[in-house]
Amino acid sequence: MENGKTISSEQFIPLTRGTALLGLDLGERTIGAAVCDESWLIASPLKTVVRRAFQTDMEALEKLLQGRKIGGIVSGLPLEMSGNEGERARVTRLLAERIAAHFDLPLCFHDERWSSKAVERFMIREGNYSRKKRKELIDNSAAAYILQGFVDAANGTEIPAEF
């Protein structure tokens, strides 16, 4: 296995078990970032990075991850409702692989269909957040939702239907 390359979850889990993970929600204009600690119990949102140039984005992520020992990256993969990969998934794969190569970390993907919508519904229903506040929080919260889904699956626990 070469770091910075996509590997299956079957390879990723034993390779990274016991290390902190970085979760990503990669959008056209933003990068949502989340982390979970070595126990893989709870994913926490970090911050949303507004995308600019790749190197600038990596510097922002490096700053967010300072002092954390990340062992791998879990990126959301925006599959089509049919389960097929479209253009958006292809672009996401390329960017995630660049990020993983930059950090010299293994990478795997987790289906992110409906992650942003689930988080937004939760924020509207439970958080009473304004539209502006939801916009600020949605991407890093979606990254946490994606990462939580991955660690729940890796730990053999069920993912709730709604966040």
Side-chain angles (χ1 to χ4, degrees):
M1 192 278 316
E2 184 180 328
N3 284 348
K5 296 292 182 186
T6 303
I7 58 176
S8 70
S9 59
E10 291 79 18
Q11 295 170 307
F12 185 87
I13 291 168
L15 181 67
T16 59
R17 177 77 72 185
T19 69
L21 299 176
L22 170 64
L24 297 175
D25 179 37
L26 302 174
E28 292 178 22
R29 293 179 296 237
T30 60
I31 298 172
V35 293
C36 71
D37 66 7
E38 300 85 17
S39 68
W40 289 17
L41 292 177
I42 297 177
S44 302
L46 280 178
K47 188 173 181 174
T48 298
V49 174
V50 177
R51 290 182 59 188
R52 291 174 175 43
F54 182 77
Q55 190 55 42
T56 304
D57 299 346
M58 294 308 95
E59 289 168 7
L61 282 176
E62 287 168 5
K63 190 173 181 179
L64 282 177
L65 299 176
Q66 201 165 26
R68 299 177 193 271
K69 290 188 170 189
I70 303 295
I73 298 173
V74 176
S75 176
L77 187 64
L79 299 174
E80 295 177 345
M81 291 314 296
S82 65
N84 295 326
E85 290 189 25
E87 180 62 18
R88 187 72 209 130
R90 187 187 71 73
V91 169
T92 297
R93 274 190 185 278
L94 293 173
L95 179 56
E97 286 184 353
R98 279 187 77 193
I99 293 170
H102 175 83
F103 286 102
D104 194 27
L105 291 170
L107 166 71
C108 89
F109 288 95
H110 190 72
D111 184 356
E112 73 167 51
R113 284 178 285 184
W114 298 108
S115 60
S116 294
K117 289 292 182 195
V119 169
E120 186 172 30
R121 275 196 316 267
F122 176 80
M123 287 179 170
I124 291 169
R125 188 180 66 234
E126 302 295 331
N128 198 22
Y129 293 102
S130 69
R131 194 175 299 231
K132 181 181 177 188
K133 190 66 171 174
R134 287 194 313 264
K135 185 176 165 98
E136 290 172 18
L137 297 174
I138 195 85
D139 294 314
N140 63 341
S141 296
Y145 184 85
I146 292 162
L147 184 55
Q148 188 68 53
F150 174 83
V151 297
D152 285 348
N155 291 332
T157 55
E158 295 260 336
I159 303 169
E162 290 191 12
F163 184 75

